[in-house]
Amino acid sequence: MTNVVLVIAGMTAVTYLPRLIPLVVSTRRRLGHWEQRALRLVPITAVGALLIPDGLTSVDSRLDLSAIGLVAAIAITVVLRQPFLVVVGSVAAVSLAIVLGV
Amino acid sequence: MQRDPVATGLAILFGYFSIAVAFGVAGRSVGLPAVAVASFSIFVFAGASQFMAVTLLAQGAGAFSIILATLVLNSRHLVMSMSLRGRLSGERIPRTVLAFGITDEVFGATATIPGEIEERALLTTEALAYAGWVGGTVAGFVAGGFLPEVVERSMGIALYAMFVALIVPPVLRFPRYAVPAIAAGAINWALQGVGLPVGFALLGSIASTAALFAIGPKWSET
């Protein structure tokens, strides 16, 4: 149990600090155009890298089941634009695929 | 332009709730007490690393290696916070508070739309996301064992379905965004393929792809 307390305390610190430091440590220098453009691109590259490749092996490490879930998520997003329904629908599609023996 | 922070926050709340249920179930299944499982979500508030920590604890890994792996995995938030910094407007909410809630989804939902980010809007989204995460964890621990096994297995997709919900709308509006997004994924895949730990591969691919596509103004124009 002491191990678990240590893990939680340590993880809290190493998760919080990377979120905090860039917001509170001031830099004197103004960012150049290239740097500003790069930071603007970060949200889009971050989501891309979070999805590929780990999203493709997220259900039982299987590409087919994961792909069914992702395709369902894309379809529901395009039609409904409701993230909650996207999550529920995607989980339901994967469950259905498993039940049907894919 | 901003998304409605309450609608955004509620969407993340529901998404997080379902993922956190899976975390609560996972925590219980490896034999952790309720207070430990809840504490992970209350204090750490970082989905992927919590799942990793529970898995490693179950395998008997030492505290130091788990903490180091978490640092590597969560260092990606450095670039997210950097990207937010110049776009935050308002000075009434301490940055120490705002920083705690900068998760992938909160960042993705607030930052994928161009323009300033109002601090109260960010805090609203963060608070709702946090409520969903902590609430879902507790619910998952309590419900653990009652869920059908098929649903429990399928929940692995939930996190990624959320990312799809975040990235598809901006790509539909600005189709050229698909290019840096897919490039980042391909580089991440390649870096993991040559044996880099997942956290370093994420950080490296996010930062290098953003830097590469920023050489010309073409890709970041909105």
Side-chain angles (χ1 to χ4, degrees):
Chain A
M1 198 56 206
T2 45
N3 196 39
V4 175
V5 173
L6 191 63
V7 165
I8 293 172
M11 283 179 66
T12 301
V14 300
T15 302
Y16 182 53
L17 290 176
R19 290 173 176 173
L20 178 70
I21 290 167
L23 285 190
V24 294
V25 176
S26 63
T27 48
R28 279 145 206 267
R29 177 177 83 81
R30 273 188 65 83
L31 291 176
H33 290 296
W34 173 70
E35 290 158 311
Q36 286 179 22
R37 285 200 297 264
L39 289 178
R40 264 207 308 272
L41 278 165
V42 164
I44 228 74
T45 60
V47 179
L50 286 163
L51 263 171
I52 309 170
D54 299 279
L56 299 171
T57 52
S58 54
V59 184
D60 296 351
S61 298
R62 276 177 57 185
L63 175 64
D64 52 354
L65 287 176
S66 310
I68 287 170
L70 293 179
V71 169
I74 292 169
I76 301 169
T77 307
V78 170
V79 178
L80 300 171
R81 301 271 176 123
Q82 273 298 328
F84 172 61
L85 295 178
V86 173
V87 172
V88 172
S90 175
V91 171
V94 174
S95 298
L96 188 66
I98 294 175
V99 170
L100 293 177
V102 173
Chain B
M1 200 190 122
Q2 290 196 349
R3 292 188 172 109
D4 172 18
V6 175
T8 308
L10 282 176
I12 300 178
L13 184 152
F14 288 122
Y16 270 12
F17 190 91
S18 49
I19 303 160
V21 165
F23 176 72
V25 170
R28 185 190 187 117
S29 71
V30 301
L32 288 171
V35 66
V37 176
S39 295
F40 269 109
S41 291
I42 292 168
F43 296 110
V44 182
F45 192 27
S49 56
Q50 290 180 217
F51 277 102
M52 180 191 69
V54 165
T55 311
L56 290 174
L57 276 173
Q59 293 168 359
F64 181 75
S65 64
I66 298 175
I67 294 165
L68 188 67
T70 304
L71 175 63
V72 170
L73 189 61
N74 290 345
S75 53
R76 66 181 183 278
H77 294 129
L78 270 175
V79 282
M80 297 187 191
S81 278
M82 248 184 259
S83 162
L84 275 183
R85 182 203 171 95
R87 296 175 53 190
L88 271 179
S89 68
E91 288 172 349
R92 291 176 55 192
I93 300 165
R95 296 302 182 251
T96 47
V97 174
L98 290 175
F100 180 76
I102 301 173
T103 65
D104 296 329
E105 292 75 14
V106 168
F107 174 74
T110 47
T112 43
I113 281 186
E116 279 197 336
I117 296 159
E118 213 272 313
E119 59 176 8
R120 265 193 316 185
L122 178 60
L123 187 67
T124 304
T125 306
E126 288 180 350
L128 289 167
Y130 187 60
W133 187 245
V134 175
T137 304
V138 174
F141 190 91
V142 174
F146 294 105
L147 281 176
E149 189 246 345
V150 168
V151 176
E152 216 176 289
R153 276 166 67 197
S154 308
M155 278 181 155
I157 200 72
L159 189 65
Y160 300 96
M162 277 223 66
F163 291 134
V164 166
L166 290 176
I167 203 168
V168 168
V171 167
L172 287 178
R173 262 181 78 198
F174 305 107
R176 64 177 172 279
Y177 275 167
V179 179
I182 292 169
I187 292 173
N188 183 38
W189 200 339
L191 292 178
Q192 285 189 34
V194 297
L196 218 59
V198 176
F200 283 130
L202 271 175
L203 183 65
S205 56
I206 294 168
S208 67
T209 317
L212 185 71
F213 280 86
I215 289 172
K218 187 177 167 215
W219 299 98
S220 55
E221 270 170 10
T222 47

